[in-house]
Amino acid sequence: MNIHEKYIKRCIELAKNGLGATYPNPLVGSVIVHKNSIIGEGWHQKAGAPHAEVNAVNSVKDKSLLKKSTIYVSLEPCSHFGKTPPCSDLIIAKGIKKVVIGAVDPFAEVAGRGIKKLMEAGCEVQVGVLEQECQDLNKRFFTFHQKKRPYIILKWAQTADGFIAPKIQEKREPVWITNQYSKQLVHKWRSEEQAILVGTNTAIADNPKLNTRLWKGENPVRAVIDKKLKIPEESALFDGTIKTIVLTENEKKSDNNNLAFEKLDFQQDLPNQICEVLYRHNLQSVIIEGGAKTLQTFTDNNLWDEARVFTGISEFHKGVKAPEFSGKMFSKTTLERDTLKFYKND
C-alpha cells in the first residue's frame, strides 16, 4: 500500500460514518495531510450539512498549513451550488495545491467538472486511487446515476431445510426463523437503505411494519406489490407513519401524503417497472424482504445486485421454498447459531 492509498483508505473509513444519513448525497470522507501527518479530517454527515472537505478544512487548527498540505477525498469535489457551495471552490480559495481523489463523481452536475476546475486553478490533481473501493463505497449512488435504477439488495431467512415460511400460518404476524441478533441486524440494514419492498402474500400473512424499531435510524420508504388491492386497510403498512408506495394494476388516488398508488402493467416485465417507479421517487436503494414469489421474480430477471441470506437451525419440513438463484458468495459469518451469507450478482 502506497502513501496515497493509505490516506484514501482513511477517507473511506470516515465516509462510512454517514451511511444511511446522507441521501440523496453520496458518502464522502476527506483527510488533509501535512508532512506525512493528518492535520484535519471529516466526512459528509447529512444531506444539507457541510461536505467532507469543508469539515476536514474546518478541523485544521493551524490554517496556515493548508497551502503546504495535500487534501485527500474519496469522491471528486463538487463543482456546483446545491444546498452548499462547491467544495472545489473551497479547496482553491484555501490555496491547497495538491488534491488526491478516489473516484470521479457520476452525478451529471459534477462528472469531471470539479477536477477540471481544480486543474485550471493550478492544482496538482491525482485521480483513481483505490478507485474500485471508492466506487463500492457508493454502490447505491453509482447504480442510481449510471443505471437509472436503485441498488437492489435481496434478503431472506431460511430454515436449515430450505423453507422461508411454513405451509400454514395461523396468525397475521411474522414466523421468526432467526434469532434476536439477526433480527436487530436486519433493522440496522433497513436504516441504511432508502426503500424496502415486499409482496402481497407477505403483507397479508405477516402484517409487517417494515420500520427500524430495533435500531436508531431513518425508516425506509415502504413499497408493496398489491395487484388487486387485497391487503386489508387496517394493515400496519397503511398506518400513515411512513411513506408507503402501493404497486397495483388499479388507478387509485390517496388523500394521505404518506400513501401513494402507482399503476403497473402486470402483463409486462414487473421488476423493471418497479425499478422505474422507485427511480422516479428518487430512491437510490431498495432491500427486498419477500416473499418468495417477489424475490424469485427479481432473480429470474437477473435484476439484483446483492443477496443476504440467513439460515437458521429450525426445520419446517414443508412450506414455502427459499428462492433459487446464482451468485458469488463474498462473505460469510455467524450470529450465534444463525449463518449469514452475502452474495454478489456476477
Side-chain angles (χ1 to χ4, degrees), residues 136 304-307 326-330 342-346:
D136 288 344
W304 62 281
D305 298 291
E306 189 178 320
S326 176
K328 181 181 179 181
M329 187 177 75
F330 66 91
F342 295 83
Y343 298 86
K344 284 184 178 179
N345 185 357
D346 287 339

Side-chain angles (χ1 to χ4, degrees), residues 251-302:
E251 290 277 6
K252 187 171 181 180
K253 296 188 180 296
S254 172
D255 296 329
N256 186 336
N257 291 333
N258 261 0
L259 182 62
F261 292 88
E262 292 281 359
K263 186 178 179 181
L264 303 183
D265 183 351
F266 280 73
Q267 302 304 314
Q268 301 298 321
D269 179 359
L270 204 57
N272 274 295
Q273 290 183 75
I274 292 172
C275 285
E276 288 171 6
V277 169
L278 298 180
Y279 180 79
R280 227 173 32 242
H281 282 263
N282 292 314
L283 300 169
Q284 291 183 11
S285 63
V286 59
I287 184 165
I288 302 176
E289 289 202 10
K293 183 178 179 181
T294 301
L295 289 161
Q296 194 67 61
T297 300
F298 275 83
T299 59
D300 288 347
N301 279 266
N302 198 34

Side-chain angles (χ1 to χ4, degrees), residues 130-249:
L130 296 183
E131 183 175 27
Q132 188 59 56
E133 289 88 336
C134 289
Q135 290 177 349
D136 288 344
L137 169 70
N138 280 301
K139 55 193 176 185
R140 301 159 181 85
F141 186 77
F142 274 78
T143 298
F144 184 80
H145 288 287
Q146 293 177 336
K147 298 184 178 180
K148 309 302 180 186
R149 66 164 175 82
Y151 186 85
I152 300 168
I153 300 169
L154 310 179
K155 170 263 158 185
W156 70 85
Q158 61 189 32
T159 59
D161 54 352
F163 296 96
I164 67 169
K167 189 171 184 179
I168 299 174
Q169 206 161 319
E170 296 178 357
K171 297 180 180 179
R172 282 197 74 202
E173 59 184 35
V175 176
W176 294 105
I177 294 171
T178 52
N179 62 46
Q180 60 180 331
Y181 304 107
S182 298
K183 184 178 177 182
Q184 186 181 53
L185 178 59
V186 170
H187 284 239
K188 177 180 183 292
W189 289 345
R190 290 176 180 178
S191 74
E192 296 169 353
E193 309 309 330
Q194 281 203 286
I196 183 169
L197 171 70
V198 295
T200 309
N201 293 337
T202 298
I204 293 174
D206 293 354
N207 192 24
K209 295 181 177 67
L210 303 184
N211 59 18
T212 58
R213 60 194 179 278
L214 299 181
W215 193 266
K216 183 179 179 181
E218 293 292 324
N219 290 308
V221 172
R222 302 182 293 203
V224 59
I225 301 170
D226 191 4
K227 180 180 178 181
K228 300 290 186 180
L229 297 179
K230 295 193 301 184
I231 300 172
E233 291 184 3
E234 67 273 13
S235 297
L237 289 175
F238 304 138
D239 62 9
T241 60
I242 303 168
K243 180 179 176 180
T244 302
I245 302 169
V246 181
L247 306 160
T248 178
E249 69 174 6

